[in-house]
């Protein structure tokens, strides 16, 4: 591992259509965000592993021999093609002093780190002695793929520390990306990390975090969307906390309870994803307002379906009502139940200030400062995107960068 360490970064995501249905084999359209998670990996001192996760208030360290002994004692089958067993995760929770039913952000994050560290090292060598710090521009638990970006960074860093993938940086390069084969390996292990955090993920989030850009995901098949326009999206964080794991489990329960009612809804969401993809791919690079009515109608229909499957929330209903009062169309993104909503903006529309000032009922600003920000979903292939704000060669998929301690990225690690 490079003596100076390595900074790995992966983007968050927005799901345009298909959330939850994609867990049950339907199609989803997802696109990488310009908000990223960063992981700085440095050689650990005196055979120790240290992980600092200020985003979830976690700081843990272990002696390397203790983890090696744990791995041997577990003798577990760390096969990355299978979900981690409940017994294995219980043993790891006990070792880390995490309560059995824990679902707090720090507990899940440490559990995911421990599992991936032991599993990857079991396959590719010894438990590495590393010092890892993770920081992010993404709100956690808000539907923007923060868990996936975390898992993708962890996978890349641990695979590199165990010698399973190269350090893609060449002398003099500031950023670089791995080969397709290495990215596939990173994505496979990131999916394992998502399985620890989400329980029953589809894999769409870690796929976008690994490959970036815009893609269609269905039953593990990842297909980059052909050249489609850049859409301008207003992201609004309702700041209502929720757990993707719990929401995904709730939808599964409802499907088992009402299959004849729920399956047609999932099929309809699948059809919405297909229709949206056709419309996007038929639109010119710089669409004019008349191309938007169908996209807006699909947002509305899908939002109603997401309420039917039980992942809506009054705060999201309010977002939809307030934006609708300004002629705009919104839907939740990610697991729902709170978290973020997305509002489609036509060319030239930029109502966030007007929304903040006059939105909401009874005149109160609906969007408190800092909870809404404009972003654009860069549908253009990374090579055709405008240069990123930070020195990332490909702004929207996982990248590696030397740990330029002096010149850290704008959102450098805390402390
Ligand atoms: N920067 C981070 N550092 C450490 N752990 C993180 C970080 N970001 C996310 N996580 C882990 O991911 C969990 C949030 O995952 P969850 O899937 O519930 O939300 P999300 O990924 O933001 O939303 P969605 O899955 O709907 O896109 C946190 O509780 C934490 O365990
Ligand atoms: C809710 C869900 O469909 C998307 C979460 O961002 C879960 C998944 O696909 O893993
Ligand atoms: Mg997640």
């Amino acid at each position: 591992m490079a003596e100076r360490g390595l900074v790995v970064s992966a983007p968050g995501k927005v799901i345009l259509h298909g959330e939850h249905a994609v867990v049950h084999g339907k199609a989803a359209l997802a696109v990488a965000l310009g908000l990223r998670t960063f992981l700085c990996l440095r050689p650990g001192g005196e055979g120790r592993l240290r992980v600092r996760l200020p985003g979830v208030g976690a700081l843990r360290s272990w002696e390397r021999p203790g983890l090696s002994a744990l791995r041997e004692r577990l003798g577990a089958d760390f096969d990355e093609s299978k979900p981690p067993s409940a017994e294995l995760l219980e043993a790891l929770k006990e070792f880390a002093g995490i309560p059995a039913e824990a679902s707090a952000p720090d507990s899940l994050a440490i559990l995911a780190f421990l599992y991936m560290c032991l599993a990857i090292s079991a396959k590719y060598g010894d438990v590495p002695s590393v010092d890892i710090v993770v920081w992010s521009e993404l709100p956690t638990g808000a539907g923007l793929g923060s868990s996936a970006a975390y898992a993708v960074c962890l996978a890349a860093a641990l695979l590199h520390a165990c010698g399973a993938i190269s350090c893609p940086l060449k002398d003099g390069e500031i950023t670089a990306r791995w080969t397709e084969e290495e990215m596939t390996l990173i994505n496979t292990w990131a999916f394992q990390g998502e399985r620890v955090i989400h329980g029953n993920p589809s894999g769409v989030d870690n796929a976008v975090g690994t490959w970036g850009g815009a893609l269609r995901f269905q039953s593990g098949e990842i297909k980059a969307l052909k050249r489609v326009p850049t859409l301008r999206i207003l992201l609004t964080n309702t700041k209502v906390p929720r757990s993707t794991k719990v929401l995904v489990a709730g939808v599964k329960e409802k499907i088992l309870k009402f299959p004849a009612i729920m399956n047609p809804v999932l099929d309809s969401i699948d059809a919405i994803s297909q229709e949206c993809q056709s419309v996007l791919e038929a639109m010119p690079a710089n669409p004019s307002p008349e191309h938007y009515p169908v996209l807006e109608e699909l947002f509305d229909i899908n939002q109603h379906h997401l309420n039917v499957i039980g992942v809506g929330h009054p705060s999201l209903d309010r977002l939809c009502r307030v934006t609708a009062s300004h002629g705009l169309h919104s839907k939740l993104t990610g697991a729902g139940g709170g978290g973020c909503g997305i509002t489609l903006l036509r060319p030239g529309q930029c109502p966030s200030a007007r929304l903040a000032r006059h939105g909401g009922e009874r005149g109160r600003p609906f969007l408190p400062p800092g909870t809404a920000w404009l972003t654009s979903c860069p549908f253009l292939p990374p090579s055709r995107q405008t240069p990123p704000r930070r020195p990332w060669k490909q702004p929207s998929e996982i990248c590696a960068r030397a740990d330029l301690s002096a010149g850290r990225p704008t959102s450098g690690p805390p402390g």
Side-chain angles (χ1 to χ4, degrees):
M1 179 166 56
E3 279 319 301
R4 290 184 61 187
L6 189 66
V7 174
V8 175
S9 165
K13 60 71 188 155
V14 159
I15 293 184
L16 275 183
H17 293 294
E19 49 270 282
H20 288 289
V22 67
V23 176
H24 303 281
K26 308 305 179 188
L29 302 181
V31 58
L33 268 182
L35 300 171
R36 304 177 75 89
T37 292
F38 300 83
L39 180 153
C40 182
L41 167 72
R42 291 197 184 105
E46 307 89 46
R48 290 189 67 76
L49 277 85
R50 184 170 70 151
V51 59
R52 288 177 286 154
L53 307 173
V56 293
L59 165 60
R60 299 297 293 269
S61 71
W62 297 277
E63 298 286 342
R64 194 171 137 206
L67 284 180
S68 301
L70 170 67
R71 196 183 74 184
E72 300 323 314
R73 199 166 61 247
L74 290 173
D77 172 10
F78 288 112
D79 181 345
E80 70 274 21
S81 66
K82 293 184 214 152
S85 71
E87 297 72 27
L88 171 58
L89 293 180
E90 288 317 311
L92 292 181
K93 285 179 186 175
E94 193 182 336
F95 171 80
I98 295 173
E101 290 316 307
S103 60
D106 57 339
S107 302
L108 287 176
I110 290 295
L111 188 61
F113 170 80
L114 266 181
Y115 170 80
M116 290 174 77
C117 180
L118 296 185
I120 289 174
S121 64
K123 180 133 189 172
Y124 297 105
D126 292 336
V127 172
S129 175
V130 290
D131 187 333
I132 281 177
V133 59
V134 176
W135 68 101
S136 186
E137 297 167 331
L138 292 162
T140 58
L144 300 184
S146 70
S147 65
Y150 170 64
V152 170
C153 287
L154 269 188
L158 292 167
L159 285 166
H160 168 64
C162 292
I165 60 176
S166 64
C167 172
L169 287 166
K170 303 288 177 284
D171 285 345
E173 279 194 341
I174 293 211
T175 66
R177 59 177 288 182
W178 281 276
T179 64
E180 279 307 302
E181 192 184 354
E182 291 174 320
M183 303 269 267
T184 300
L185 191 60
I186 291 169
N187 183 52
T188 300
W189 282 102
F191 184 49
Q192 289 297 91
E194 281 279 83
R195 278 172 155 165
V196 173
I197 297 173
H198 268 207
N200 179 31
S202 65
V204 63
D205 292 0
N206 46 279
V208 182
T210 302
W211 275 284
L215 55 83
R216 171 200 158 103
F217 183 97
Q218 184 165 12
S219 304
E221 188 194 355
I222 303 167
K223 196 171 150 228
L225 286 184
K226 290 198 295 284
R227 200 192 163 311
V228 286
T230 293
L231 296 183
R232 293 172 65 250
I233 298 275
L234 177 69
L235 266 183
T236 304
N237 186 354
T238 66
K239 299 220 168 180
V240 173
R242 84 294 181 271
S243 155
T244 299
K245 184 174 189 174
V246 170
L247 287 154
V248 168
V251 171
K252 184 173 180 183
E253 227 173 274
K254 207 167 239 202
I255 293 170
L256 293 173
K257 191 175 175 186
F258 303 116
I261 297 169
M262 292 286 283
N263 287 327
V265 176
L266 300 183
D267 290 340
S268 179
I269 293 175
D270 185 59
I272 290 171
S273 295
Q274 319 271 10
E275 178 67 22
C276 180
Q277 182 180 351
S278 316
V279 172
L280 287 176
E281 292 184 334
M283 284 166 82
N286 295 310
S288 44
E290 71 267 12
H291 290 103
Y292 280 74
V294 174
L295 294 179
E296 292 164 344
E297 204 170 349
L298 294 177
F299 262 45
D300 296 343
I301 299 169
N302 196 356
Q303 178 58 21
H304 289 301
H305 282 338
L306 291 163
N307 279 322
V308 165
I309 67 173
V311 295
H313 187 275
S315 62
L316 293 163
D317 295 341
R318 196 156 161 235
L319 169 67
C320 293
R321 262 199 320 277
V322 169
T323 51
S325 70
H326 291 267
L328 300 171
H329 303 258
S330 307
K331 68 176 280 287
L332 68 88
T333 189
C340 282
I342 54 176
T343 304
L344 185 59
L345 298 177
R346 295 186 179 202
Q349 278 181 325
C350 181
S352 57
R354 191 152 48 89
L355 266 182
R357 200 171 48 250
H358 304 303
E361 285 123 341
R362 296 182 296 284
R364 277 186 297 117
F366 173 74
L367 307 177
T371 60
W373 63 105
L374 277 174
T375 184
S376 66
C377 288
F379 277 104
L380 298 182
S383 54
R384 301 212 21 215
Q385 289 169 13
T386 48
R389 281 180 295 122
R390 58 184 67 79
W392 300 112
K393 198 179 278 178
Q394 302 290 349
S396 64
E397 77 272 300
I398 184 169
C399 285
R401 192 168 72 80
D403 169 23
L404 309 175
S405 308
R408 284 182 179 142
T410 42
S411 47

